Amino acid sequence: MTDQHKQFKQVLDDHHQWPCPYLFKFIIPADKLEQFKELFPNEAIDTRTSKTGKYISVTLESNMCSSHEVMAVYNKASEIPGIMSL
């Protein structure tokens, strides 16, 4: 884990009392939406397509039990080429 990841994990722990709902936001290439859904099959997601249709804004809200779980979601999502975490 990099220093930046450790700092983010610490910020999460400082600002959240686990368990709690956590809101994830991603921008993904439109052609990768199915791949995203396959990675998170049991999660409800909201989507919004960009004006050009090239990208999709994805919001995923999930109940997380720790900052470790939050980091695991970000790591899993990073498998998708071109994804941006907000």
Side-chain angles (χ1 to χ4, degrees):
M1 187 180 293
T2 67
D3 286 340
Q4 188 177 17
H5 288 127
K6 289 177 187 175
Q7 288 175 347
F8 181 58
K9 190 174 178 303
Q10 185 62 48
V11 169
L12 288 171
D13 286 332
D14 290 346
H15 289 91
H16 296 283
Q17 290 192 339
W18 310 107
C20 69
Y22 189 85
L23 193 66
F24 297 91
K25 290 200 160 273
F26 302 100
I27 303 293
I28 60 173
D31 63 341
K32 302 295 181 190
L33 181 60
E34 288 308 312
Q35 184 180 357
F36 186 90
K37 289 179 177 180
E38 288 172 9
L39 286 176
F40 303 101
N42 300 321
E43 302 291 342
I45 62 171
D46 291 320
T47 61
R48 184 173 178 195
T49 305
S50 67
K51 288 181 184 180
T52 64
K54 293 180 181 179
Y55 295 96
I56 297 176
S57 171
V58 177
T59 302
L60 181 150
E61 185 173 359
S62 186
N63 197 36
M64 296 282 112
C65 293
S66 68
S67 58
H68 180 73
E69 282 188 4
V70 171
M71 296 298 290
V73 170
Y74 283 120
N75 286 336
K76 192 174 185 180
S78 71
E79 296 175 18
I80 300 171
I83 194 167
M84 293 175 266
S85 302
L86 304 178

